[in-house]
Amino acid sequence: MGGETTQPMFWRTVPILLLLAMTGFISEGALCPGKCRCNDTNLSVACTSAALEVIPHQLNPEIRHMDLSNNKISNLYYALSIYENLITLDLSTNNISFLGSDKFQSQRSLQVLNISYNNIEKLKKDSFNGLKAIVKLDLSYNRLERLHNLTFLELHSLQIIILSGNRITHLESGLFKTTKHLKELVLDDNQLLEIPSAVSDAVGLHRLTLSQNLIYSVNIMPNLSELRFLSIDGNVIRDINHTALTGLPSLERLDLSDNNFTNIPTASLAKLSNLTWLKLSGNFVENIPPVAFRGLFQLKYIHLDHLDLLTRIDVRAFVDNINLQHIWLNDNIGMQSIPTRLFHGNPKIVHISMKNNALTTIETTHFPLDQLRLLQLGGNPLECNCSLLWLWHLAQDQKKLPIIQSNHTYEIPSELQIDSRDINCAGPATLLGKQLIDVTESEINCSFSWVVITSAVISVLFVLLILTGLMLWGPLKKTILPGKDLSQGNGTLSCGKAETFEPSRIEKCIVSPPVSHHDYRTLSSWEHYGTEYGNCVSNMNIYEQLDCHLKDRPHIVYV
Ligand SMILES: *[C@@H]1O[C@H](CO)[C@@H](O)[C@H](O)[C@H]1NC(C)=O
Ligand SMILES: *[C@@H]1O[C@H](CO)[C@@H](O)[C@H](O)[C@H]1NC(C)=O
Ligand SMILES: *[C@@H]1O[C@H](CO)[C@@H](O)[C@H](O)[C@H]1NC(C)=O
Ligand SMILES: *[C@@H]1O[C@H](CO)[C@@H](O)[C@H](O)[C@H]1NC(C)=O
Ligand SMILES: *[C@@H]1O[C@H](CO)[C@@H](O)[C@H](O)[C@H]1NC(C)=O
Ligand SMILES: *[C@@H]1O[C@H](CO)[C@@H](O)[C@H](O)[C@H]1NC(C)=O
Ligand SMILES: *[C@@H]1O[C@H](CO)[C@@H](O)[C@H](O)[C@H]1NC(C)=O
Ligand SMILES: *[C@@H]1O[C@H](CO)[C@@H](O)[C@H](O)[C@H]1NC(C)=O
Ligand SMILES: *[C@@H]1O[C@H](CO)[C@@H](O)[C@H](O)[C@H]1NC(C)=O
Ligand SMILES: *[C@@H]1O[C@H](CO)[C@@H](O)[C@H](O)[C@H]1NC(C)=O
Ligand SMILES: *[C@@H]1O[C@H](CO)[C@@H](O)[C@H](O)[C@H]1NC(C)=O
């Protein structure tokens, strides 16, 4: 009896097995469309840039990874229902304008869906029904304006959603009510006017980016106790409510660059006790006041670049930031000077970047050179006088080191490095445009004033010598040629007419105006040198000038 029943069953399964074998054989090669690359080992199909207008339906139904990017697909129809095992699906850069309803009903294993760079204007509330396993959804660079608050209803596993490059002005409240695992929300490059309150449902969010929107004020910020990274750069924010950031106790990185801040939002930032990285570049801040970053004890990295109106930094600006390690103050074109000992309260600072400011001189007292590892000063209009001798020495030391071309400025060298190849002289005129590293020590060294002093001493001695010579030789000459009048000579002693030689007259000539006039002229040329090469010399005599230079010569404290 048993044999009778097993026999027909066997014969019934044969055609199915044959069919399976055939389809298996076929899917291994023959039915991989010409422009696709199919791999049945890892079950992937890639049909990129294949000018496809529809999703191919003859592929191995077992495939897990399908890449259809950069084609001309405009409608999904129901083609996807064949491929139930998809894990990743890339439909980016196609021509889809309408997703329709329930097109992903069978994709219960799909984890990554990329539909970026299409023309989608609307999502229906059931567009993504079925995507129960989806983790990452990329909808960037479409034309979405609004999202229905049920759009993500079934996406319980969603962790990352990318919505950048759309036209979103508003997110309906409740949108993230069921996406309890959402960790990252990207809303860059949209048209949001405020922080969307719908975000408050995404309580587990780690990363929120709202760059390049139209947000003008941060009045209410949702409580996001897990948020680590927030960027609201490229908006038009003028202020942040003092209490707005209290709900972000875990925030570590904050990007507020390229906004309309005119002041450092000290009081608002003070709530972010765990902040380690802050970017405030590209704002309209004129002044960094004392304790501008109050309470930010964990702050390690701060970017304050492109503050075009910045002219003043208070010496106590960073005193609270005891853990500060890296500071960027580049391209602040109005910064002509910085206070000395600005970083005195930052015992951990290892990297200071002050490129392309308007600094004309920099002193050792500006920087804690004994602890610094990277100092960048290129692009400043530096006056290469002896005030920069310390930097010159530093640059010369670097000459021996191999030039490290690293763009990873977070990496710090083990010994102090400066960007010596970018430091040029904007003055004095003789050194204009020269690299500091190529200037000779005598050109930058104030020892040039020693030359002046030496020549002054030599000149005085020379004059004295002449006068002594005259004193000794003059009477001798007179005795040899007693009849000749002194004034009729070459005029060396133009002391008026003298009929007879008298030793007392010679003495009178020695102290006479013409001689001292000659002396004065020599000195006046030295004074000219002084006014041109140093500030402290213009109204002083040559000896005070020496004193001044000795006083001003920096204590060379380099490592
Ligand atoms: C298919 O994928 C597997 C695993 O990535 C790889 O080892 C194999 O070489 C691939 N086959 C072809 C034909 O590319
Ligand atoms: C499968 O193998 C192909 C060919 O080797 C490769 O290009 C593709 O990246 C692999 N896909 C996955 C998901 O491993
Ligand atoms: C994209 O689709 C629209 C219709 O939805 C069509 O008019 C247009 O020509 C398509 N563009 C391309 C590049 O295929
Ligand atoms: C989606 O595709 C676009 C274009 O190919 C790509 O730039 C983007 O990185 C992809 N998104 C994800 C999440 O992989
Ligand atoms: C969706 O929005 C409507 C109003 O537009 C509201 O009545 C409904 O409660 C919201 N749904 C959820 C899940 O929040
Ligand atoms: C954040 O939480 C605090 C209490 O923990 C509450 O007082 C406040 O209203 C909340 N803010 C928002 C915007 O929900
Ligand atoms: C700041 O936020 C608090 C609480 O949300 C609110 O009471 C206060 O009016 C806001 N301040 C300003 C200046 O908008
Ligand atoms: C702040 O950071 C420390 C170390 O990263 C962490 O242990 C602590 O939990 C954080 N505090 C909050 C409120 O998240
Ligand atoms: C922000 O600054 C830009 C550039 O100065 C200016 O054009 C714009 O009007 C400002 N917007 C606001 C809201 O202050
Ligand atoms: C560093 O960046 C500059 C421009 O941003 C680039 O030209 C240079 O090649 C980069 N250097 C290295 C070593 O990556
Ligand atoms: C060097 O030039 C700077 C900037 O012009 C000036 O402040 C400084 O006093 C000069 N130093 C000396 C010793 O003349």
Side-chain angles (χ1 to χ4, degrees):
M1 288 289 275
E4 276 173 338
T5 46
T6 47
Q7 197 87 344
M9 264 190 81
F10 170 76
W11 285 114
R12 256 189 283 156
T13 48
V14 165
I16 299 165
L17 286 172
L18 272 173
L19 195 72
L20 279 175
M22 270 174 74
T23 51
F25 171 75
I26 286 162
S27 67
E28 246 177 86
L31 282 184
C32 190
K35 285 174 178 168
C36 298
R37 280 168 292 120
C38 306
N39 185 327
D40 274 353
T41 314
N42 68 4
L43 292 164
S44 75
V45 174
C47 311
T48 59
S49 313
L52 296 178
E53 285 176 9
V54 290
I55 294 174
H57 55 266
Q58 68 275 52
L59 304 170
N60 182 350
E62 303 288 312
I63 54 166
R64 301 212 171 137
H65 308 281
M66 190 191 269
D67 182 356
L68 299 171
S69 60
N70 204 14
N71 283 292
K72 294 178 176 170
I73 298 166
S74 60
N75 200 315
L76 300 182
Y77 300 109
Y78 283 93
L80 284 173
S81 55
I82 309 165
Y83 311 108
E84 294 189 343
N85 297 331
L86 283 180
I87 293 171
T88 66
L89 173 59
D90 190 345
L91 287 164
S92 64
T93 324
N94 276 284
N95 193 20
I96 303 165
S97 55
F98 186 61
L99 270 186
S101 306
D102 298 321
K103 296 291 161 59
F104 300 102
Q105 246 340 318
S106 351
Q107 271 65 57
R108 294 186 176 263
S109 311
L110 194 65
Q111 290 175 13
V112 181
L113 174 59
N114 192 344
I115 332 178
S116 61
Y117 298 96
N118 278 282
N119 294 317
I120 304 169
E121 280 174 22
K122 267 203 177 102
L123 294 172
K124 299 190 79 173
K125 62 176 190 285
D126 44 11
S127 285
F128 294 122
N129 275 4
L131 294 172
K132 289 199 184 323
I134 196 142
V135 172
K136 196 171 184 178
L137 175 60
D138 191 344
L139 282 164
S140 57
Y141 298 95
N142 279 286
R143 299 177 181 197
L144 297 168
E145 283 173 21
R146 294 182 78 87
L147 293 174
H148 193 282
N149 68 2
L150 299 178
T151 314
F152 304 137
L153 187 67
E154 291 194 2
L155 313 188
H156 301 293
S157 306
L158 195 62
Q159 289 181 19
I160 300 171
I161 176 154
I162 306 168
L163 288 163
S164 42
N166 282 286
R167 300 166 182 179
I168 298 168
T169 53
H170 177 74
L171 294 179
E172 275 185 36
S173 63
L175 184 65
F176 302 112
K177 217 157 210 161
T178 53
T179 53
K180 289 294 174 206
H181 295 103
L182 200 62
K183 296 252 182 321
E184 182 172 348
L185 174 57
V186 182
L187 282 162
D188 302 342
D189 202 358
N190 276 290
Q191 292 168 13
L192 295 164
L193 294 172
E194 53 190 17
I195 311 274
S197 56
V199 173
S200 61
D201 288 327
V203 288
L205 213 56
H206 275 61
R207 227 182 130 87
L208 174 61
T209 70
L210 294 156
S211 314
Q212 314 296 332
N213 277 282
L214 304 168
I215 299 168
Y216 56 87
S217 172
V218 180
N219 215 354
I220 299 169
M221 182 80 206
N223 284 341
L224 297 169
S225 61
E226 299 292 313
L227 198 69
R228 307 284 151 85
F229 180 96
L230 173 63
S231 71
I232 332 178
D233 59 300
N235 283 277
V236 286
I237 305 171
R238 298 182 65 95
D239 47 41
I240 301 182
N241 188 323
H242 290 187
T243 57
L245 303 180
T246 43
L248 309 175
S250 307
L251 199 68
E252 288 167 4
R253 290 171 146 242
L254 176 62
D255 189 347
L256 290 172
S257 48
D258 303 313
N259 275 293
N260 281 28
F261 288 104
T262 52
N263 296 306
I264 308 284
T266 304
S268 317
L269 296 176
K271 310 293 187 297
L272 303 171
S273 55
N274 251 16
L275 202 69
T276 57
W277 184 95
L278 175 64
K279 200 166 176 185
L280 264 168
S281 307
N283 280 290
F284 302 100
V285 175
E286 290 172 22
N287 176 19
I288 302 183
V291 211
F293 305 96
R294 177 157 46 88
L296 304 184
F297 303 116
Q298 302 303 321
L299 199 65
K300 289 197 179 93
Y301 307 92
I302 187 162
H303 291 262
L304 295 166
D305 306 326
H306 288 288
L307 302 174
D308 291 355
L309 302 183
L310 183 68
T311 51
R312 201 175 160 273
I313 303 181
D314 190 273
V315 65
R316 299 179 60 234
F318 306 109
V319 286
D320 253 13
N321 317 114
I322 47 171
N323 279 304
L324 195 64
Q325 291 177 8
H326 299 253
I327 185 163
W328 288 264
L329 278 160
N330 300 329
D331 305 292
N332 297 323
I333 53 176
M335 277 292 297
Q336 294 180 337
S337 64
I338 45 167
T340 54
R341 304 170 85 73
L342 177 59
F343 304 106
H344 196 57
N346 313 110
K348 294 192 177 164
I349 195 133
V350 290
H351 172 205
I352 298 172
S353 189
M354 286 194 171
K355 296 190 278 187
N356 309 322
N357 290 338
L359 304 173
T360 54
T361 194
I362 300 169
E363 283 162 33
T364 38
T365 46
H366 284 134
F367 308 111
L369 287 182
D370 47 346
Q371 72 194 58
L372 273 192
R373 292 290 168 266
L374 186 57
L375 177 61
Q376 292 165 299
L377 296 168
N380 281 294
L382 293 174
E383 181 77 17
C384 291
N385 58 21
C386 60
S387 297
L388 283 190
L389 198 58
W390 66 275
L391 191 61
W392 182 87
H393 276 295
L394 219 53
Q396 297 306 313
D397 289 351
Q398 308 266 301
K399 236 178 188 173
K400 295 161 209 152
L401 299 172
I403 297 170
I404 293 182
Q405 281 265 319
S406 170
N407 286 352
H408 306 289
T409 38
Y410 285 88
E411 279 173 23
I412 49 166
S414 55
E415 279 188 54
L416 176 60
Q417 291 216 350
I418 59 172
D419 56 340
S420 46
R421 281 289 160 204
D422 297 330
I423 302 177
N424 297 318
C425 300
T430 47
L431 299 178
L432 182 67
K434 239 185 169 183
Q435 287 191 346
L436 179 66
I437 200 168
D438 294 334
V439 171
T440 62
E441 188 164 11
S442 63
E443 280 174 313
I444 188 166
N445 205 336
C446 291
S447 66
F448 198 80
S449 61
W450 286 97
V451 176
V452 174
I453 288 146
T454 317
S455 51
V457 171
I458 289 171
S459 301
V460 169
L461 286 176
F462 186 67
V463 168
L464 284 174
L465 203 72
I466 289 173
L467 293 177
T468 322
L470 281 171
M471 270 174 76
L472 296 175
W473 201 59
L476 193 67
K477 204 177 164 192
K478 191 76 192 172
T479 0
I480 292 164
L481 302 160
K484 200 160 186 195
D485 190 272
L486 267 174
S487 61
Q488 282 174 342
N490 52 13
T492 13
L493 287 171
S494 52
C495 308
K497 277 201 164 167
E499 299 303 316
T500 51
F501 171 72
E502 289 167 38
S504 62
R505 269 200 63 77
I506 296 274
E507 264 170 39
K508 210 176 156 191
C509 284
I510 289 169
V511 292
S512 67
V515 175
S516 59
H517 174 70
H518 174 249
D519 195 7
Y520 168 74
R521 274 220 315 251
T522 319
L523 270 172
S524 88
S525 71
W526 302 332
E527 264 188 274
H528 169 71
Y529 167 81
T531 42
E532 195 180 314
Y533 287 85
N535 283 352
C536 50
V537 294
S538 39
N539 297 319
M540 303 175 186
N541 72 32
I542 199 74
Y543 298 99
E544 278 168 14
Q545 203 180 118
L546 166 66
D547 271 1
C548 166
H549 282 292
L550 284 176
K551 240 181 354 219
D552 269 32
R553 278 176 80 146
H555 311 280
I556 301 158
V557 192
Y558 64 93
V559 283

